[in-house]
Amino acid sequence: MMLEHILVLSAYLFSIGIYGLITSRNMVRALMCLELILNAVNINFLKGNIFSIFVIAIAAAEASIGSAIVSSIYRNRKSTRINQSTLLNK
Amino acid sequence: MKSISIYLSLILHRMDLPGPIHDFLLVFLGSGLILGGLGVVLLTNPIYSAFSLGLVLVCISLFYILSNSHFVAAAQLLIYVGAINVLILFAVMFINGSEYYKDFNLWTIGNGLTSLVCTSILVSLITTILDTSWYGIIWTTRSNQIIEQDLISNSQQIGIHLATDFFLPFEFISIILLVALIGAIAVARQ
């Protein structure tokens, strides 16, 4: 019973994260929804507890690179709208 | 005092909570997760949504405690709430702008289509989860676990796995972390 509750909650977090990632016009909110997706996947590895550590480490590396990219985009263009997709062309 | 410490160590190693407390904690954490997930996506102020993400991460850490994985719960609390959430808050507050309060979040056709696709994904996942018989699958894949699983703690299990089976991914993870940090610093400088 507990296993199915946790899996249903992780599916809910996954779908909410995908919805937020696609329909967010703000890059930092997209980063936050990406962390939601990674946590939803991470909670599925209950009994294989070594793989959760690897997913946490990968998510940490990706969050640092994502925030570095967002800050460099903001410094260049002064706006963080997501539909200006040629921002890193300079 | 010694009896209290023995009692606490037994509780923390063998987390067999009584039934009603277990169910109450599940319902409480589940509702916290549902509301926090909605708050990340739907709140307009990005600082509020970052704090709601912090609530989601703390609830997930408590789920790990309920599932007897204490090391992963502590790692989640330290790394996700302590480092990644603070990094996201820093990015949110550093990239402030007056454009956030004009972000009306109009309900476009793309939003409606995405919500339709996401609810269909959610419904298909839930029907797949509720139709699978999990105890048969878990019982037949017990071959590659450590023999004395209930006698050693969770952090010792992780240590044994890291040293024997997952030694190569451990080295690769350290290289990935090094490269990611150097790359992030190189991108974020002037």
Side-chain angles (χ1 to χ4, degrees):
Chain A
M1 172 187 154
M2 177 168 173
L3 184 68
E4 283 156 4
H5 278 202
I6 286 186
L7 291 181
V8 163
L9 278 172
S10 93
Y12 166 77
L13 274 183
F14 184 70
S15 68
I16 284 277
I18 284 186
Y19 173 74
L21 184 61
I22 292 179
T23 70
S24 74
R25 276 176 247 150
N26 190 4
M27 282 183 202
V28 190
R29 191 183 297 266
L31 268 181
M32 287 193 269
C33 294
L34 195 57
E35 295 302 320
L36 258 190
I37 290 174
L38 275 172
N39 270 305
V41 166
N42 202 8
I43 208 172
N44 278 332
F45 294 108
L46 279 184
K47 292 301 177 184
N49 41 17
I50 184 60
F51 207 72
S52 308
I53 303 283
F54 289 149
V55 173
I56 288 178
I58 294 285
E62 168 261 336
S64 70
I65 286 185
S67 67
I69 287 179
V70 166
S71 74
S72 76
I73 283 177
Y74 178 72
R75 196 180 301 127
N76 271 336
R77 295 301 173 121
K78 291 297 179 202
S79 90
T80 56
R81 307 277 300 214
I82 245 180
N83 46 10
Q84 305 168 4
S85 62
T86 61
L87 284 174
L88 284 178
N89 261 348
K90 246 187 191 175
Chain B
M1 188 62 195
K2 192 175 174 188
S3 66
I4 291 177
S5 66
I6 291 176
Y7 186 57
L8 270 178
S9 72
L10 275 178
I11 284 183
L12 286 175
H13 279 284
R14 304 276 315 180
M15 208 59 175
D16 297 330
L17 290 175
I21 298 181
H22 206 256
D23 293 342
F24 171 70
L25 269 179
L26 267 182
V27 166
F28 187 64
L29 292 179
S31 62
L33 269 183
I34 289 174
L35 293 177
L38 284 177
V40 171
V41 172
L42 296 179
L43 287 173
T44 54
N45 199 355
I47 300 181
Y48 290 161
S49 69
F51 279 117
S52 169
L53 180 72
L55 172 72
V56 167
L57 295 174
V58 167
C59 286
I60 288 181
S61 172
L62 294 177
F63 263 122
Y64 278 127
I65 290 184
L66 276 183
S67 314
N68 246 344
S69 311
H70 308 296
F71 184 75
V72 184
Q76 166 103 11
L77 210 54
L78 278 173
I79 296 176
Y80 261 118
V81 180
I84 293 181
N85 203 17
V86 171
L87 184 66
I88 286 179
L89 266 173
F90 182 72
V92 162
M93 294 189 189
F94 174 64
I95 305 176
N96 60 348
S98 59
E99 66 196 32
Y100 285 169
Y101 299 100
K102 297 182 231 145
D103 193 7
F104 289 128
N105 199 7
L106 300 170
W107 187 262
T108 65
I109 296 181
N111 278 357
L113 187 62
T114 313
S115 66
L116 199 64
V117 167
C118 283
T119 46
S120 71
I121 285 177
L122 178 65
V123 163
S124 66
L125 276 176
I126 288 181
T127 52
T128 310
I129 286 169
L130 294 179
D131 278 342
T132 325
S133 64
W134 291 104
Y135 292 102
I137 295 176
I138 288 176
W139 193 75
T140 54
T141 58
R142 279 193 179 276
S143 59
N144 62 344
Q145 288 182 353
I146 312 169
I147 303 288
E148 315 161 311
Q149 183 133 358
D150 284 335
L151 298 175
I152 54 182
S153 68
N154 180 251
S155 43
Q156 283 169 330
Q157 288 177 23
I158 286 181
I160 290 177
H161 275 307
L162 267 182
T164 58
D165 289 331
F166 292 91
F167 191 64
L168 192 61
F170 172 63
E171 301 295 330
F172 279 153
I173 283 280
S174 63
I175 292 179
I176 282 175
L177 280 174
L178 177 71
V179 168
L181 285 179
I182 292 179
I185 293 176
V187 166
R189 308 200 297 176
Q190 288 304 121

